[in-house]
Amino acid sequence: MKRDKFETLAIRTQMEKTAQKEHSAPIYMTSSFTFDSAEHGAQLFNNEVEGNLYSRFSNPNTDEFIDKLCLLEECEAGVATASGMAAVFNSMAALLKSGDHIVSSGAIFGNSRYVLTNVFPNMGIEHTFVDVDDNESYKKAIRPNTRMIYVETPSNPTLKSADLEFIGDLCKENDIIFSVDNCFATPYLQKPVHYKADLVIHSATKYIDGQGRVLGGAILGSEEYVKICYDYIRRTGASLSPFNAWVLSKSLETLAVRMDRHCDNASALADFLSGHEAIEVVVYPHHESYPQYDLAKKQMTKGGGLVGCVIKGGLERGTKFLNSLNMLSLTANLGDTRSIATHPSSTTHSKMSLEDQLKVGITPGFLRFSVGLEHIDDIISDIDQALTKSK
């Protein structure tokens, strides 16, 4: 059977029309749903019939969002969450127990590290950090009680790539859950299930929304593991609101065209920075100077919308540069239509010690650009003038 293309699935996957024959899905802003009878209510609670009963459990808007995202990621099932961090935490908390061990790449979002280093030890869950781009380190870190391997790829914020094929095979050989945060690549550029990932995690707040409006997250993957996560979230309450689900579902309709522009702009910015006298290192997965260029080309159809660089002069010059920007926003978010400049060492990863930052490549002069949808000439012009003023 012919499968529709990505763009068509993203646009044409919708809930059933109501009697009003609406062309665009309505928002179901309701906390609960009524039953046809007392018996019907009992059947719903006992999972004997399908239907909505409470928006913490399910809602037509969250269902549409997840159904669409599952098609795009080619996953069996999914559950929506209130934020990306809710997706990260609940995907682990639901599947791990006291005495379990998780192997994680060290180059992950600061709050994800906090969960592993400060929250899970109180629950009896151990962790080992490894170098995201060192295959042997994953093998060496596995213990008899290792239950999960978790990676971000490209990693936050240094944009290193994990070898998904190698790790997927390693997990299958050792009966370990393979969980991949696919936030930076999105399903348009990379599909972790093609490399045997059991779970795919998203902060939908980023590129899936794409305009910096709402929070949201998703846990996708095999029906076996997603069901456990769904039951956990249903009872612990990290549910996505119907309004946010409606926004995110509509946003998926334009994900492909937005990502094409993000990638084109990011590639052009990487080329500009690589030839600038003020820049020591440029990091972009599809730039030929990228150490894992061949791997990134294999796993990602395009290089993504994020560019990293190290500015000469370290923190002092980096601060002057950021304060000299006129158009680019200074914020910790990413994936927005508006271009953003971030200094990870003092913001998103500031809770890490300097030693730990340096281990994963976050130097005081490292900058992360979330390259937006403005005209590339205006993006480069603003960065160029700020580099000049920061001398």
Side-chain angles (χ1 to χ4, degrees):
M1 186 172 118
K2 177 178 172 291
R3 189 179 190 274
D4 286 334
K5 301 294 185 181
F6 185 100
E7 294 88 342
T8 305
L9 289 171
I11 292 169
R12 289 291 175 178
T13 303
Q14 287 185 290
M15 67 180 75
E16 283 189 35
K17 292 179 181 178
T18 71
Q20 303 301 321
K21 303 296 183 183
E22 66 279 348
H23 190 224
S24 182
I27 306 173
Y28 287 84
M29 288 298 291
T30 179
S31 58
S32 63
F33 300 83
T34 59
F35 314 134
D36 296 336
S37 64
E39 291 81 5
H40 179 230
Q43 289 172 334
L44 283 168
F45 269 91
N46 289 321
N47 297 317
E48 296 171 7
V49 296
E50 290 188 357
N52 297 303
L53 54 92
Y54 196 64
S55 285
R56 175 160 49 84
F57 301 169
S58 64
N59 177 283
N61 295 118
T62 55
D63 291 346
E64 180 186 279
F65 169 58
I66 284 297
D67 288 346
K68 189 179 294 188
L69 204 47
C70 283
L71 286 171
L72 300 180
E73 280 284 14
E74 300 180 23
C75 290
E76 293 177 353
V79 57
T81 61
S83 68
M85 275 311 305
V88 171
F89 173 77
N90 284 279
S91 65
M92 296 177 182
L95 295 166
L96 303 175
K97 65 182 186 304
S98 180
D100 283 343
H101 173 249
I102 181 170
V103 175
S104 170
S105 61
I108 56 175
F109 180 44
N111 284 325
S112 300
R113 279 186 68 104
Y114 182 88
V115 167
L116 295 176
T117 58
N118 292 67
V119 178
F120 281 160
N122 296 327
M123 300 166 64
I125 298 169
E126 303 173 308
H127 69 277
T128 299
F129 288 127
V130 298
D131 294 334
V132 62
D133 53 348
D134 181 358
N135 288 347
E136 286 303 309
S137 68
Y138 291 94
K139 291 176 68 174
K140 292 176 181 178
I142 292 175
R143 305 176 187 172
N145 61 333
T146 300
R147 173 71 169 154
M148 179 183 287
I149 292 181
Y150 172 74
V151 299
E152 293 176 4
T153 185
S155 65
N156 188 356
T158 52
L159 305 180
K160 293 182 178 180
S161 295
D163 187 334
L164 292 176
E165 183 175 19
F166 175 86
I167 302 170
D169 288 341
L170 182 66
C171 286
K172 289 297 172 284
E173 290 168 9
N174 292 275
D175 193 26
I176 294 169
I177 299 168
F178 184 24
S179 179
V180 179
D181 187 322
N182 201 32
C183 171
F184 280 14
T186 81
Y188 184 59
L189 303 181
Q190 177 174 269
K191 288 183 171 55
V193 295
H194 290 180
Y195 302 96
K196 304 177 184 177
D198 298 296
L199 294 175
V200 181
I201 310 301
H202 280 286
S203 171
T205 311
K206 310 303 190 294
Y207 286 109
I208 289 174
D209 173 25
Q211 296 181 58
R213 299 166 297 185
V214 300
L215 300 178
I219 303 167
L220 312 165
S222 72
E223 193 167 358
E224 174 191 359
Y225 293 131
V226 169
K227 184 182 185 305
I228 297 170
C229 294
Y230 168 77
D231 289 342
Y232 187 89
I233 291 165
R234 170 175 171 165
R235 287 162 176 80
T236 55
S239 308
L240 183 64
S241 78
F243 177 77
N244 286 15
W246 178 82
V247 170
L248 294 169
S249 183
K250 297 300 293 180
S251 296
L252 281 171
E253 295 181 9
T254 61
L255 178 63
V257 291
R258 287 187 285 107
M259 291 308 298
D260 282 339
R261 181 64 171 266
H262 282 302
C263 293
D264 289 347
N265 280 354
S267 180
L269 177 60
D271 287 341
F272 166 76
L273 292 173
S274 66
H276 201 286
E277 57 84 21
I279 302 300
E280 291 181 357
V281 177
V282 173
V283 185
Y284 184 65
H286 276 207
H287 195 269
E288 291 186 359
S289 64
Y290 183 71
Q292 300 168 284
Y293 176 73
D294 290 339
L295 178 63
K297 294 283 282 188
K298 171 187 171 183
Q299 294 180 172
M300 299 172 64
T301 56
K302 293 188 176 184
L306 293 162
V307 177
C309 72
V310 177
I311 190 169
K312 294 178 181 176
L315 178 60
E316 183 179 356
R317 185 171 185 183
T319 300
K320 289 181 181 178
F321 165 78
L322 291 170
N323 289 335
S324 299
L325 289 167
N326 295 322
M327 184 183 77
L328 269 70
S329 305
L330 301 185
T331 179
N333 196 29
L334 61 93
D336 204 314
T337 54
R338 293 159 288 240
S339 293
I340 294 166
T342 302
H343 181 245
S345 181
S346 64
T347 57
T348 56
H349 293 70
S350 60
K351 298 298 186 290
M352 294 170 60
S353 68
L354 179 59
E355 180 184 1
D356 286 339
Q357 288 183 18
L358 294 175
K359 280 181 182 177
V360 297
I362 304 174
T363 63
F366 185 85
L367 301 172
R368 185 189 73 191
F369 295 104
S370 173
V371 187
L373 307 184
E374 306 96 341
H375 196 285
I376 186 58
D377 291 351
D378 294 326
I379 296 171
I380 289 176
S381 176
D382 191 32
I383 291 173
D384 191 26
Q385 66 83 24
L387 287 171
T388 300
K389 287 182 180 178
S390 67
K391 286 183 180 178

